[in-house]
Amino acid sequence: MFDLFRSRAKAVRYLLGALLMVVAISMVITLIPGFGTSVTESGSDQIVAEIGDEVLTTLELQQSLQMQLRGRTIPPQLTAVYVPQLIDQMITERAMAYEAKRLGFRVSEGDLAETIESIFPQLFEGGKFAGTAAYSAVLAQNNMTIPQFEENLRSQMLLNKLRTMVLEGIVVAPAEVEREYRRVNERVKIEHVAIDPAKLRPQVKVSPEEIQAHFNEHRSSFRIPEKRSFEMLIVDEAAVTASVTVPEAELRRAYELNKETYRTPERVKVRHILLKTTDRPKDEIPAIRAKAEGLLKQLRGGADFAELAKKNSEDPGSGAKGGDLDWIVRGQTVKAFEDTAFSLKPGQLSDVVTTEYGFHILQVLDRQQAGVRPFQEVRAQLADERKRQLVYDKMQTLSDQARLALNRDPKGAEAAARALGIQYVKAEKVGSGDPIPVIGASNELMDAISPLRKDEVAPIVQVQGNRLVIAVLNEIHPARPAELAEVESQVREKLVAEKLTKLVDERAQEAIQKAKASGDLKKVAQAMGLEWKATGEFGRAGAAEGLGSAAYLEEAFTASVGQVFGPVRVNDKQFICKVTAKTPADMTLFAAQRDELVQQVKRQKARDRLELFQEGLKNRLIQDGKVKVHQDVVNRIIASYRSA
């Protein structure tokens, strides 16, 4: 197919752009180390789904997920939530590509060539293909081969052809546009009362008898997880830093050895005023130059350079700073500017200088000849650099010595700490997520300790605060059924939460019944000791004061004025609401927004139609046996992430 690249002029038929690039590459990136432990490396366990004659494997799923994690399209902490959606999406896309082939859609070599050119224009400079080696090298950066990439790209192109067919002929009727305009632009006012669990909590009481009864009934659900006791030797950067000094002789030796690194070029400190001529008509240029000459005359007459620069300079980077460009060296500016700047003495003004940007007036504030910065000038920097290196080296040495000592004598942690002059800490019965003495919660340290057996030493772990920790396991405390005293607070909180939820529901129902009966929500709030608020006008895209997003309040837009509705749940609160006013959309503005609304409605119809088509197609192919989902593999993959 590369003969096509050599002979074809540069033309792009498909406007797939960056999105297609992401979708295509997302299927073939890199493995996730340690992906679920329950998915094996052989046999059908590697197959997530069969689509026609093709298969979707756990490897491809891993690669796609890793791409999305790297691109930050999936929050890492929500990976377990997104995995089922990703699996379903990949199966659906493969099913769409299968259907496209079945319907006779094809991707020619020419189509593929043009699309690759649109994705990798850097391989086709001047319309000439850079060659297979360059193409392969670009893909290799993402652990892809040419056949892998092109096969997946073909599938994506087929999928897009089918999507285009599905979305053809979408029509938006005038009535639909008007209806959407009215829906988006109508506004309401409401009043509401809040039933806040935090304010009702003091009313909830739980007796010791209730705690005991609940514990007895659900005893098997209360367990103390496995915990571990261990000793730690801690190498603290702050303590090591305080113990390290750098001799003056060593600093001078380092300075002499690296003297060339402190060599500075000739430089000048300069400020300027710029009057731009770029993108200005030629007939305006003389007037701009005349203005520059006038400013120069003012400066030579004693005017304040910084003030004139702030008022007149059109350089966005320096104008607001009084024209100050700070220090510049040769090669940093255009030639005419540079030649002038380096020809002036400190304090001297230039004539009007012409560059491709416009007219400049320069003033040099200071000048330094090329040379080597003296030792005293760089001493503090040298001391910091050398001290950091010594601290790093000492921390590594101490941590290595500490681990060696523990490996020799796992019982001698405290003695080893004294001998090395580092901190010793004992941690008793620490479980996953528990705070560790001195350290605080540390998943990294617990992960290092969890596979150990008694008297084994963990690898060196860096924890928060730039500390290195070497731990030795003393004892494993197996998971066991809990005693009431150990989980009493947990049981109490569970009972309080249940009672509080019931109380909030009861108060909400009481409030709504009274409000519907009397029609006066404010009086109901006063009688029940609840908080009442009235909102200003808001639309569907806005927010209700004291309640939150209008997305919670769709009923307010369909209810009539005076109607009470609810309860509306927002986070842990419940709200009883009443519509107090409705303002219909202003139809005088409809014509101005009509074209944009047509596109919005069309896009929504396209999303709805495509979603319906894709789901229906996938289900039909599953029923026909053309798509087979290996649910046991899917379940294991999902479980592996939920337990991670």
Side-chain angles (χ1 to χ4, degrees):
M1 78 164 285
F2 293 99
D3 290 333
L4 286 165
F5 284 136
R6 296 187 184 101
S7 61
R8 182 178 296 274
K10 188 173 183 180
V12 179
R13 182 178 300 174
Y14 297 98
L15 302 178
L16 303 178
L19 178 61
L20 175 59
M21 177 61 176
V22 170
V23 173
I25 293 179
S26 71
M27 305 173 76
V28 280
I29 302 299
T30 93
L31 285 172
I32 302 174
F35 179 83
T37 55
S38 57
V39 179
T40 68
E41 291 297 324
S42 62
S44 62
D45 282 347
Q46 280 290 292
I47 298 175
V48 176
E50 299 173 59
I51 304 95
D53 296 330
E54 298 180 1
V55 295
L56 171 63
T57 67
T58 54
L59 175 60
E60 291 172 291
L61 176 64
Q62 293 165 1
Q63 293 167 337
S64 182
L65 180 61
Q66 181 70 352
M67 176 62 176
Q68 296 192 45
L69 287 169
R70 286 180 176 179
R72 299 185 181 275
T73 56
I74 292 179
Q77 66 272 23
L78 296 179
T79 304
V81 176
Y82 280 88
V83 165
Q85 299 174 28
L86 178 62
I87 295 172
D88 184 68
Q89 175 191 334
M90 293 186 72
I91 293 172
T92 300
E93 288 186 351
R94 299 296 178 88
M96 289 275 285
Y98 170 84
E99 181 70 3
K101 289 179 184 177
R102 194 188 67 79
L103 292 174
F105 289 106
R106 295 290 181 269
V107 175
S108 70
E109 293 295 296
D111 291 338
L112 185 64
E114 289 176 352
T115 303
I116 293 172
E117 185 174 354
S118 72
I119 294 172
F120 299 118
Q122 70 271 29
L123 295 176
F124 300 88
E125 292 186 10
K128 184 179 179 182
F129 178 52
T132 307
Y135 180 35
S136 180
V138 169
L139 297 179
Q141 291 174 6
N142 290 304
N143 289 348
M144 287 184 286
T145 65
I146 291 173
Q148 278 180 320
F149 174 71
E150 292 186 359
E151 180 59 32
N152 284 298
L153 185 54
R154 283 180 188 275
S155 295
Q156 289 298 320
M157 292 173 70
L158 282 172
L159 192 151
N160 278 290
K161 285 173 179 279
L162 183 57
R163 282 176 173 159
T164 300
M165 182 197 76
V166 172
L167 298 179
E168 281 178 352
I170 291 179
V171 176
V172 179
E176 290 179 290
V177 182
E178 183 176 333
R179 187 162 57 247
E180 179 64 10
Y181 176 82
R182 292 181 185 276
R183 191 189 76 81
V184 169
N185 290 284
E186 65 180 332
R187 302 175 71 79
V188 298
K189 287 183 181 179
I190 67 168
E191 56 185 27
H192 56 79
V193 297
I195 295 90
D196 186 349
K199 294 181 178 179
L200 295 177
R201 187 182 174 97
Q203 300 177 29
V204 177
K205 306 298 180 185
V206 177
S207 69
E209 292 76 18
E210 288 176 304
I211 293 174
Q212 183 69 63
H214 185 87
F215 177 75
N216 291 341
E217 185 178 351
H218 302 90
R219 184 183 293 268
S220 61
S221 64
F222 294 103
R223 292 183 62 79
I224 301 299
E226 180 182 274
K227 294 182 180 290
R228 293 175 177 248
S229 295
F230 49 92
E231 294 170 290
M232 298 178 290
L233 302 185
I234 302 175
V235 182
D236 186 280
E237 182 185 40
V240 174
T241 300
S243 70
V244 170
T245 57
V246 185
E248 188 75 7
E250 188 172 333
L251 291 178
R252 289 191 175 276
R253 185 166 54 253
Y255 173 76
E256 293 298 331
L257 288 172
N258 299 281
K259 211 169 191 177
E260 284 304 307
T261 63
Y262 301 110
R263 186 172 295 282
T264 58
E266 179 188 13
R267 61 179 187 166
V268 291
K269 191 173 187 179
V270 66
R271 57 183 176 179
H272 79 135
I273 296 172
L274 167 65
L275 300 183
K276 287 185 177 180
T277 56
T278 53
D279 301 324
R280 300 284 178 87
K282 287 186 177 180
D283 57 359
E284 292 183 11
I285 303 300
I288 297 172
R289 182 174 186 92
K291 181 179 178 180
E293 296 285 1
L295 291 172
L296 179 60
K297 187 175 181 180
Q298 292 181 55
L299 290 169
R300 285 178 172 162
D304 187 284
F305 193 106
E307 287 302 314
L308 284 185
K310 289 176 183 177
K311 293 177 182 177
N312 297 280
S313 182
E314 295 175 311
D315 179 1
S318 68
K321 298 185 294 183
D324 189 7
L325 291 173
D326 206 357
W327 293 97
I328 65 170
V329 297
R330 293 186 185 275
Q332 194 172 336
T333 64
V334 294
K335 190 173 188 307
F337 192 101
E338 176 187 297
D339 289 346
T340 302
F342 282 89
S343 68
L344 297 174
K345 297 176 181 178
Q348 188 177 358
L349 282 168
S350 71
D351 293 328
V352 173
V353 179
T354 304
T355 73
E356 49 264 56
Y357 298 106
F359 299 114
H360 306 255
I361 302 168
L362 284 69
Q363 185 180 41
V364 168
L365 301 175
D366 198 359
R367 186 186 194 102
Q368 288 183 354
Q369 298 299 326
V372 177
R373 295 169 67 189
F375 171 75
Q376 287 302 326
E377 187 178 317
V378 299
R379 184 187 179 284
Q381 176 188 340
L382 263 173
D384 285 345
E385 291 172 355
R386 183 58 183 149
K387 190 164 188 175
R388 277 198 300 271
Q389 184 60 50
L390 290 174
V391 168
Y392 174 81
D393 291 344
K394 188 171 181 180
M395 287 183 70
Q396 292 296 319
T397 300
L398 285 172
S399 58
D400 288 340
Q401 290 174 341
R403 193 165 192 273
L404 181 61
L406 288 182
N407 277 321
R408 288 174 176 167
D409 181 10
K411 306 291 186 184
E414 193 167 6
R418 282 197 303 271
L420 294 170
I422 58 179
Q423 189 175 10
Y424 165 82
V425 177
K426 187 162 187 174
E428 295 284 0
K429 296 183 178 179
V430 179
S432 178
D434 292 346
I436 303 168
V438 177
I439 301 299
S442 172
N443 291 334
E444 295 82 5
L445 183 55
M446 292 306 296
D447 287 346
I449 291 170
S450 62
L452 301 181
R453 291 175 292 185
K454 186 175 180 179
D455 292 336
E456 286 187 338
V457 180
I460 299 167
V461 177
Q462 182 173 349
V463 299
Q464 192 173 11
N466 287 337
R467 289 173 289 187
L468 300 179
V469 179
I470 308 92
V472 59
L473 184 66
N474 299 141
E475 193 171 352
I476 299 173
H477 308 275
R480 58 177 175 78
E483 298 297 329
L484 176 58
E486 296 173 303
V487 294
E488 185 174 351
S489 61
Q490 179 184 341
V491 177
R492 180 183 291 105
E493 283 303 310
K494 188 173 186 301
L495 290 173
V496 167
E498 290 175 356
K499 286 190 172 188
L500 188 56
T501 299
K502 184 178 179 182
L503 180 58
V504 170
D505 289 343
E506 289 172 353
R507 295 301 297 275
Q509 289 304 315
E510 180 185 354
I512 197 167
Q513 288 169 15
K514 288 182 176 180
K516 285 181 176 179
S518 70
D520 193 330
L521 192 57
K522 189 172 185 179
K523 283 187 177 179
V524 170
Q526 290 171 343
M528 296 181 65
L530 302 174
E531 184 181 12
W532 173 91
K533 281 188 178 179
T535 73
E537 274 194 340
F538 61 90
R540 281 182 166 86
E545 181 185 352
L547 190 151
S549 170
Y552 294 111
L553 296 164
E554 181 61 30
E555 195 172 349
F557 296 92
T558 58
S560 56
V561 174
Q563 185 174 336
V564 175
F565 66 94
V568 175
R569 297 177 183 270
V570 181
N571 299 324
D572 58 342
K573 296 181 182 179
Q574 293 196 38
F575 294 85
I576 309 304
C577 308
K578 178 184 174 181
V579 179
T580 57
K582 300 190 83 168
T583 304
D586 181 358
M587 296 306 294
T588 62
L589 303 175
F590 174 57
Q593 298 181 27
R594 185 183 181 284
D595 290 345
E596 183 181 345
L597 279 169
V598 167
Q599 295 306 314
Q600 289 179 11
V601 174
K602 193 170 185 178
R603 285 193 294 269
Q604 186 58 52
K605 278 191 160 189
R607 285 192 293 268
D608 293 344
R609 180 187 287 191
L610 188 60
E611 185 177 330
L612 187 63
F613 176 82
Q614 289 181 159
E615 189 63 23
L617 172 64
K618 184 184 71 174
N619 290 339
R620 177 173 62 78
L621 292 176
I622 290 174
Q623 290 172 2
D624 294 345
K626 303 299 184 184
V627 171
K628 298 175 184 176
V629 180
H630 293 218
Q631 196 59 47
D632 56 334
V633 178
V634 171
N635 292 342
R636 287 201 295 273
I637 293 171
I638 293 171
S640 71
Y641 276 99
R642 287 177 178 163
S643 62

